[in-house]
Amino acid sequence: MKRPARIAIALLMAATGLLTGACATVQPWERGKLSNPCMVFDANGQLVAYDNHWQPSREGSAGGFGAQGGGCGCK
Amino acid sequence: MRVQVEASRTGKVLVGALAAAAATLIAASNWADNILTFGLHGFQDSRTVTVLSPVVDLDKDFTDRSGLKARFGVDAVTAASDSCARCHPDGANNQRTYGDFSYRRKYGDYRLELGGEISRENFYAADTVTASLSRDLNNGNTTIAGGYSFSSNRPQLHPTQTVEQQYAQDVYVTLTQTLSKNTIVQMTYDFSRISGYQSNPFLRTSVNDILVVGNAPDLRNRQAIALRLRQALPADTYLEADYRRYWDTWSVSSNTMSVALSHYFRPSFMLGGSYRWYSQTGAFFYQPSYTGDPQYYTADYRLAPFSSGLYGVRISYAPADGLLFFPKHTALDLRYERYIASTNFEAAIFSGGLRVPF
Amino acid sequence: MNRMTSGLMALITGALLVGAGSGGLRAATGPAGLDRPAPDLRLPAKDGTQVSLSDYRGKVVLVDFWASWCAPCRQSFPALSDLADDFRARGLSVIGVNLDEQRKDADAFLVGQPHSFEVVFDPSGKGAKAFDLKGMPSSFLIGRDGTIRFVHVGYSDKVLEAYRREIAQLLSEPAGGRNP
């Protein structure tokens, strides 16, 4: 396997380890900051959908952030 | 197969029906949370392609455990016929109409969402169905989710008017974890498999000095992993950082890294900036032009090696009393971005959205 | 699928299993079966005076925990005022406990929300902890004898209907405790 891929895997395993190990439980009433749109993943669904539409129409990559639609004949 | 794809009319009727169905489902309820979002996007690039995309979203909660989403939009494309060096003139001006619909339901800690999308334009029709399931754990601090989508895409060639077939399937798994009151991370793995016709019928490349439509492989398996962070900083400032590694069986692989910083000058006014770096390798069969007898050949510039930077600014304005005559908590979002690629390709992207809760 | 991707899937499955063991969010709605005495709340009102839950013994109390950043909380406010007005004469008291960590956020919210019930402030969350909230908003209906009788997490039309039923039931009980 190529080196960059191995680095990526190592990072991800570390991240997963961190995630499952560092489960600090945040109580429901402490979620004030977490409710800000800047803290919510894909808060602006319309904008995210647009980015996931024009970027793959000008780049060779797609996906990584949830389900993708059916594509288009975009030149 | 020689079938004329009556994309425009049937598609528009279907999409209109979808919108009407969504509209009739609006029931009066003094609790129900409804949000209408009106959006307008503008895209203009150095290939002289200009696209104006108005779109409207409806997000409606029926109860605290069920709801629906509907979207209706149009991409109005204009381009000079020489916008891509060897382009077919009929493809230059185009209008894509699309509609999305999804229904969601909570069962205890589980959330199920089923949906579909229909997209129609000259020379391309796409139908998609999607399903996703998520589960909350640790009192809402951990969420694991997965989804699947299946698309049937039908590009139409010209001047033969032959309709080709392409199937795309996508599956993903996502883990979201709250690390503290101010930190949340997410990890996603995405796999998609595209089979069938995958050349671009509008673009022609030079093979032995003859211009021909490309011939791409019939199968493409694509994978991506992404790691995302959202961090609340002191003084009403927020940091967003995303990384994605992508690779596929055409030997295209890429790294995407983006950061954004947002600051609230007042609870109702936010200003932010963002930067996204992107770099990809080329497909194994990509060449600017070809000689000899290549098995695969393409004019699709998306398969060339290049890197790019995307610079953006954004504003969010949501006065507590409501904007003009709109209800309370209406929010206006504006964003301007500039895309600059190493291949001398540039684009300007504008996005405006008005989110109206009612 | 190659080794890396199957490794990743295994990791994520592992994370799920680890998480599954620690349990999920349990929405408690309706008769909670708790019947435990309500923890004593002593929190400041807007003018600074201390409000104590024990002072309300003999009345039926609806304690609602809310915050400015919680959308269903915003929606429930008018309903809470209506309940307070409708049942005040019969002995209902409504106390809204604010959990914003910054008072200015709560004040900004209250400016646009007329309310006819008492609002107290709990920025450190000690009241929320004592009542062991499972979600936002959370409300607790306390009988005349000071025990928690009904708990609701979240807000919807159904919750409002439940409030009316449950409040009527609790108001019909004598001061010493429930009907035999």
Side-chain angles (χ1 to χ4, degrees), chain C residues 137-159:
Chain C
S138 273
S139 61
F140 299 83
L141 269 169
I142 300 165
R144 295 185 192 272
D145 58 357
T147 57
I148 298 175
R149 301 289 299 283
F150 298 100
V151 178
H152 291 277
V153 177
Y155 180 72
S156 67
D157 282 346
K158 273 210 280 225
V159 170

Side-chain angles (χ1 to χ4, degrees), chain B residues 318-323 326-331 355-357, chain C residues 68 74 109 113:
Chain B
D321 295 341
L323 209 57
F326 291 105
K328 271 191 197 182
H329 305 292
T330 297
R355 186 178 181 275
V356 184
Chain C
S68 63
R74 260 187 260 137
F109 175 87
Q113 287 273 13

Side-chain angles (χ1 to χ4, degrees), chain B residues 29-33 64-65 109 135-140 144 173 175 181 187 189 223 225 236 247 328-329, chain C residues 1-2 4-5 8-9 12 15-16 19-20 22-25 27 74-75 101 104 112 133-134 155-157:
Chain B
S29 161
N30 50 0
W31 169 83
D33 205 9
D64 60 344
R65 36 197 65 240
D109 293 330
R135 172 152 194 212
D136 279 339
L137 304 159
N138 289 335
N139 209 17
I144 182 146
V173 186
L175 179 66
K181 292 193 294 188
M187 202 160 68
Y189 169 73
Q223 297 181 76
I225 43 178
D236 299 314
W247 67 103
K328 271 191 197 182
H329 305 292
Chain C
M1 229 187 275
N2 64 25
M4 169 176 161
T5 54
L8 203 62
M9 303 290 275
I12 290 170
L16 165 61
S22 26
L25 177 73
R74 260 187 260 137
Q75 283 144 1
E101 291 185 5
K104 63 177 168 92
L133 298 199
K134 297 291 188 220
Y155 180 72
S156 67
D157 282 346

Side-chain angles (χ1 to χ4, degrees), chain B residues 14 40 62 67 119 134 169 175 183 191 214 256 266 272 320 346-347 350:
Chain B
L14 270 168
L40 181 64
F62 291 123
S119 170
S134 76
Q169 295 184 75
L175 179 66
T183 316
F191 174 82
T256 312
R266 283 198 295 282
E346 283 191 28
F350 166 79

Side-chain angles (χ1 to χ4, degrees), chain A residues 19 51 59-61 63 70 75, chain B residues 153 185 254 278 280 301 335 339:
Chain A
L19 292 189
D51 289 344
E59 294 174 344
S61 316
K75 307 181 293 148
Chain B
N153 305 325
V185 293
S254 72
Y278 177 81
Q280 72 170 48
Y301 48 84
R335 186 185 70 179
Y339 188 84

Side-chain angles (χ1 to χ4, degrees), chain A residues 13-41:
Chain A
M13 294 204 171
T16 316
L18 197 73
L19 292 189
T20 53
C23 290
T25 305
V26 174
Q27 299 296 342
W29 61 91
E30 296 174 319
R31 304 188 74 90
K33 289 267 179 190
L34 295 167
S35 68
N36 186 294
C38 294
M39 296 292 288
V40 176
F41 293 107

Side-chain angles (χ1 to χ4, degrees), chain B residues 82-130:
Chain B
D82 60 350
S83 63
C84 40
R86 299 121 174 179
C87 211
H88 188 286
D90 285 355
N93 298 318
N94 193 11
Q95 179 176 294
R96 180 177 91 105
T97 311
Y98 62 97
D100 283 28
F101 183 82
S102 74
Y103 177 75
R104 60 181 181 269
R105 205 166 157 135
K106 267 180 151 177
Y107 299 95
D109 293 330
Y110 291 90
R111 187 183 126 134
L112 177 69
E113 190 161 344
L114 300 170
E117 176 178 310
I118 295 172
S119 170
R120 293 288 185 274
E121 59 191 297
N122 288 341
F123 310 114
Y124 202 96
D127 297 316
T128 308
V129 289
T130 63

